[in-house]
Amino acid sequence: MNGDWLLRGRDGRLSLYRLSGDHVLCRAESVPSGAWDAPRRIGGEQRLHPVLAVGQGADHYAHLVSWRPTVDGESGLVHSTHFRPALAALDWSPIGHPNKKGRVTGPPAVAVDAQGRAHVFVRNKGGGLSMVAQKEKGGWDPWRDLKGQGLHEDLAAVSTRAGLVEVYGTVPDGIACWRQPEPGARPVPGDTLRVPVRPGTLRALATSEAHVTVFFTDESGDLCAWRSGAEPVVLLPAAGPGPVAAVGCELEGLPCTLLAQRAKSGRVVFAAYPAEQESAGAWWTESGEPVEPDARVALAEDGAGRVVAATLSPASGELRLTRRKAEPGMALEAWRLL
């Protein structure tokens, strides 16, 4: 999965999305901070490939994107919108292929601008980046080739706090990015970071009104943070493979960035530091019992503003969840199975 699969809806309830065979399941809180409803299939009966991208805009609507099989040997992308956790999501709607037709070209990424328009990004068969975006009054614009070359499959799409869309991808010699110069504009190439990066480790988070911070693991195994116009900063050794989960939150009255990852020990680890002040230092703290080797971690804030962490094992479907206690510091409740 690509993007934040644990989200807070407009009504304050949390929902989470996961792949199950050839479809997507959603679970949601029955009331904010309450019990969780049973899993339900969303998007209709369309069969999907085992890939899912999730994005959310300021309106708290969830946008989901996946690939579906079409004719023999070919596939196309599909999109669904989930307006509120209590409502049924829209059926999957086809949005085409970056090369008009063909096979799956890579996992998609999706970000939502200030006007609530989904922007879907995917690598094309030439190794560049392609994009399709919703129109403000319905429908979709034509596919656009944003150029580039040598892109790996993984992409990290994000919206700034001003609602402008940015997307990052790894290339053989570093990280390439594209940014919207203004609302509704075509994203254009931005700074390229020339450092060795482990593919599959990108995570982007809007950490202030002015900046997006990109987290990645370098070839030495260190977790790094990078903002456009500056050099990357080593935060601490990465706890495990893949991208970290990241969320902005307030701790002791200060805006902070909280990171989480499954460590080699099997336990989930957390690290927090003042937002965009990597020089303050960060260190991992373990929590809970070991989780499945393939488990991924997600972070969000609930309707009461408390940090919530969840783990998901794609193979077993096991879901675990914890919340920050209603007390100073970053103490967590006991993890529980959903």
Side-chain angles (χ1 to χ4, degrees):
M1 291 191 292
N2 190 352
D4 293 320
W5 48 269
L6 176 67
L7 302 175
R8 184 180 75 241
R10 294 188 68 178
D11 55 8
R13 296 192 296 175
L14 293 173
S15 59
L16 55 84
Y17 302 89
R18 69 178 181 91
L19 292 158
S20 179
D22 61 2
H23 57 276
V24 174
L25 296 178
C26 174
R27 293 192 69 177
E29 293 178 320
S30 56
V31 295
S33 303
W36 287 74
D37 294 334
R40 65 186 190 277
R41 182 170 178 164
I42 64 169
E45 298 302 314
Q46 173 69 60
R47 290 175 51 243
L48 305 173
H49 289 299
V51 60
L52 178 67
V54 185
Q56 187 180 45
D59 55 14
H60 291 283
Y61 298 161
H63 291 261
L64 299 95
V65 179
S66 185
W67 285 95
R68 64 160 184 168
T70 53
V71 299
D72 186 35
E74 297 185 1
S75 298
L77 286 160
V78 289
H79 167 269
S80 173
T81 307
H82 199 183
F83 297 106
R84 293 191 184 184
L87 301 177
L90 298 181
D91 284 352
W92 294 107
S93 175
I95 56 175
H97 190 285
N99 302 106
K100 295 186 178 180
K101 64 179 182 178
R103 299 179 181 273
V104 172
T105 58
V110 58
V112 186
D113 68 13
Q115 291 72 41
R117 297 174 294 204
H119 291 61
V120 178
F121 300 91
V122 69
R123 188 183 67 168
N124 55 48
K125 69 178 182 180
L129 183 69
S130 290
M131 182 201 83
V132 65
Q134 285 182 312
K135 297 178 181 178
E136 192 166 357
K137 295 184 178 179
W140 294 80
D141 288 324
W143 277 89
R144 297 173 176 175
D145 184 354
L146 302 184
K147 306 302 180 182
Q149 58 183 356
L151 271 178
H152 298 135
E153 288 191 350
D154 57 305
L155 299 170
V158 65
S159 295
T160 69
R161 293 188 181 176
L164 296 175
V165 170
E166 301 185 3
V167 61
Y168 299 82
T170 55
V171 291
D173 59 349
I175 298 174
C177 73
W178 289 258
R179 298 187 178 94
Q180 276 186 322
E182 59 185 20
R186 178 192 186 112
V188 296
D191 299 346
T192 297
L193 181 63
R194 304 294 183 186
V195 297
V197 176
R198 289 186 180 176
T201 64
L202 290 187
R203 176 69 169 87
L205 178 71
T207 47
S208 69
E209 296 298 326
H211 297 118
V212 165
T213 301
V214 180
F215 300 96
F216 65 91
T217 302
D218 66 17
E219 284 194 337
S220 66
D222 287 326
L223 179 63
C224 303
W226 172 58
R227 285 180 291 279
S228 177
E231 292 298 314
V233 176
V234 173
L235 271 171
L236 72 175
V244 294
V247 70
C249 61
E250 191 172 285
L251 297 175
E252 311 301 328
L254 291 174
C256 292
T257 298
L258 177 67
L259 307 174
Q261 197 168 33
R262 182 193 179 276
K264 294 177 182 178
S265 66
R267 301 178 72 190
V268 178
V269 293
F270 296 89
Y273 67 94
E276 300 187 358
Q277 296 181 38
E278 288 81 12
S279 60
W283 53 92
W284 294 119
T285 300
E286 293 191 336
S287 174
E289 298 297 321
V291 294
E292 300 281 351
D294 64 340
R296 298 287 292 272
V297 186
L299 295 171
E301 283 193 324
D302 66 13
R306 290 192 296 168
V307 169
V308 179
T311 65
L312 166 66
S313 165
S316 68
E318 182 181 271
L319 284 163
R320 294 179 180 266
L321 185 137
T322 185
R323 290 177 203 270
R324 180 185 172 195
K325 293 181 178 179
E327 60 184 46
M330 203 33 227
L332 297 172
E333 297 175 352
W335 287 84
R336 60 190 178 92
L337 279 169
L338 290 185

